[in-house]
Amino acid sequence: MCGIVGYVGTRPAVDVLIRGLRRLEYRGYDSAGVAFFRGSRLEIRKAEGKLENVEKLLNSNLSSHGEATCGIGHTRWATHGKPTTQNAHPHQTGHVVLVHNGIIENYQEIKREIVAKGFHPKSETDSELFGFLVLQEMDRGANLTEAVRRSFAHVQGACSVVVMSEREPGVVVGVRNGSPLVAARDPLGGAILASDAQPLIEYTREVIFLEQGDMAVASRDGLRFFSLESGRELQRETATLDWSLEKLDKQGFAHYMLKEIHEQPTALVDTLNGLLDRVRTDPFPLAEQPGVKLLDSAREILIVACGTSWHAAQIGKYWIERWARVPVSVDLASEFRYRSPVVGPGTVVIGISQSGETADTLAVIRQMKEQRIPTLAVTNVRGSTLSREADAVFYTSAGPEIGVAATKTFTAQLFVLLLLSGYLSLRRGADSRAEIPAFFEQLVKVPHILADCLGSEAMTATRKAAAELVTSKGFFFIGRGYSFPVALEGALKLKEIAYIHAEGYAAGELKHGPIAMIDEGMTVVVLAPQDAWRDKTVSNLEEVKARGARIVGIGAASDSSLASLCHHWIPLPSITQGLDESLLPFLLTPILQLFSYEIATIKGTDVDKPRNLAKSVTVE
Ligand code: M6R
């Protein structure tokens, strides 16, 4: 979604803005722009496409921005109006300039009023209209902060804005009314605001996550906070970030996605250490925290999520039901919130979201809170909206994920769900509890086994298969049991980054329709590791083979009968033999991630920033 940066201080503002926007590029965008003070006048440079286009405009006239120490910048992900220069932010209305992230739902109503008063918006965006509201309030005598505050009273919808005015050079006013905004004091004087913390950590680790309905007013003197509702000044706590700049760089990998695939062992170790009390020697020693108490009270669990996080939830359901015998239902957040769901007493709702900002997932958590249903979050971002609004949080500790396609955050989510399953098994006295100590011993080894797998022959075979199948007209990913949601995730990755049509299917469902599509032009990727479902999956594979599809098989290295059915064979390393079948998703997933990555790089797509996608989907 759109990215915002605002800065005022002693540094060259345009440099701070561009560097900040670069760090927000991963969110996905289709146009960009900056506005800065040249003396007391505001100037804007904006362009369609990549940030480089804005830099070209800036470089063609260095003298115009070299002295600027105050400005705002934006990367736009189009919602209202095409991705053109005209619709790009910042938007200027008279002496007011603004950037906006989110949606103004009543924009048509506001537009009618504005046009009736004789104003003429230049863009098709909802965002520009806010500038007219601020202009009118300032013309009535309000200062910039108060004008922004009063203008918000007319706006419906979740958004954040950052505004400047030529009448108050050196003041940057930001509002968080839904979409996130983070602020920090610059140790050299002044302050910086942004849509997430990544642009800030270059300057400081001490940041303030604005609360819903907060205004931040930045000037050379620092940073102050006010209530959007009452206008009263507020005190806000500072949080210390533990992310390092080093972790944000590509460290020699061609893409962030590839680096993040290889970071999965570390992400799992860090997640484990973040959640377990490692001083204890009992299995699944979840450290004392509010989330554990909530889990203890659950008679049923409902998990809501979107996209990849929803796939993690599906695997979580299989695990929690298998290990702990607690009933689990899983819902797409975007569906759940608009039907009439029945949530029984004793249900605990878990929202899973790597970003912690996904609009639909947040909306469900809010609905549940209104109904006094206990809520838990699983997220990777400390201070995210989800982490603050849910009753309790289990963090994944995957570190920043820059590639738009989720990789390490997915396996870290899986790790959390498996830890919760094992914990609940013991806590509930489930029949499986006798197996738990041995299972836990295997689970703590998963990061090491995964590291081995990433350097194994499986990856060489994956690259080879990908290179030979890049022209396939379509893909099915099939599996049963735990491998079914892994197959869904494999298909999503291929669609996202390689733009090839792919579907994930429960292997047993193929014959109920989709098999009609199978012919020589199609590829079927079959996940058939040594588990309870292997034989059934292999018999489904025979049906596919008979119809001429190319087959990529992933299974145990010793499974020669499966290997003989496949055109491309990806053997799981022998170290995985004897592993409990619950752990196999951790080894199948990176193979599918790499498979999509290879196809995408051969096709030459923008792997880290695939078209039309955003890292954190803050609109519904
Ligand atoms: O931040 P979230 O986990 O809530 O995001 C949900 C989806 O938007 C996300 O998983 C999306 O499907 C990714 N691009 C997957 O790679």
Side-chain angles (χ1 to χ4, degrees), residues 77 495-496 498-500 603 605-606 609-614:
W77 192 78
K495 283 183 275 207
E496 277 189 297
Y499 317 148
I500 296 180
K603 285 191 72 185
T605 62
D606 194 348
K609 291 177 286 235
R611 66 187 182 201
N612 306 337
L613 296 183

Side-chain angles (χ1 to χ4, degrees), residues 183-360:
R185 295 182 173 88
D186 183 342
L188 298 186
I192 175 163
L193 303 172
S195 305
D196 72 33
Q198 304 206 24
L200 278 45
I201 56 175
E202 205 161 313
Y203 310 102
T204 175
R205 301 269 158 77
E206 306 298 317
V207 306
I208 299 116
F209 292 95
L210 271 71
E211 306 269 339
Q212 173 80 347
D214 277 4
M215 302 180 73
V217 180
S219 67
R220 271 216 183 187
D221 301 332
L223 198 55
R224 296 170 72 189
F225 297 94
F226 298 88
S227 156
L228 188 58
E229 199 183 343
S230 67
R232 261 191 236 118
E233 186 152 6
L234 303 165
Q235 298 308 315
R236 285 286 171 245
E237 298 278 305
T238 302
T240 306
L241 293 176
D242 58 0
W243 294 359
S244 65
L245 266 182
E246 185 203 354
K247 279 201 169 172
L248 289 180
D249 291 329
K250 278 196 226 149
Q251 291 170 350
F253 287 95
H255 295 95
Y256 281 110
M257 182 180 174
L258 189 60
K259 170 177 166 265
E260 287 157 5
I261 290 172
H262 283 86
E263 282 174 344
Q264 289 180 105
T266 313
L268 297 191
V269 170
D270 290 349
T271 300
L272 195 78
N273 289 338
L275 293 180
L276 298 188
D277 179 348
R278 299 311 300 275
V279 177
R280 281 164 46 194
T281 50
D282 51 323
F284 293 96
L286 276 192
E288 278 298 314
Q289 53 168 307
V292 174
K293 287 208 181 70
L294 273 188
L295 266 189
D296 287 343
S297 70
R299 269 194 274 154
E300 280 180 37
I301 292 174
L302 162 68
I303 314 182
V304 290
C306 303
T308 291
S309 298
W310 182 73
H311 298 153
Q314 297 281 358
I315 304 178
K317 171 185 165 71
Y318 282 48
W319 282 334
I320 298 171
E321 293 192 338
R322 183 250 185 267
W323 286 104
R325 308 301 297 150
V326 177
V328 181
S329 46
V330 175
D331 242 297
L332 287 165
S334 55
E335 284 298 311
F336 182 90
R337 63 182 290 202
Y338 292 116
R339 57 186 174 82
S340 307
V342 179
V343 183
T347 304
V348 168
V349 176
I350 305 182
I352 307 184
S353 168
Q354 62 78 23
S355 64
E357 301 297 347
T358 297
D360 287 314

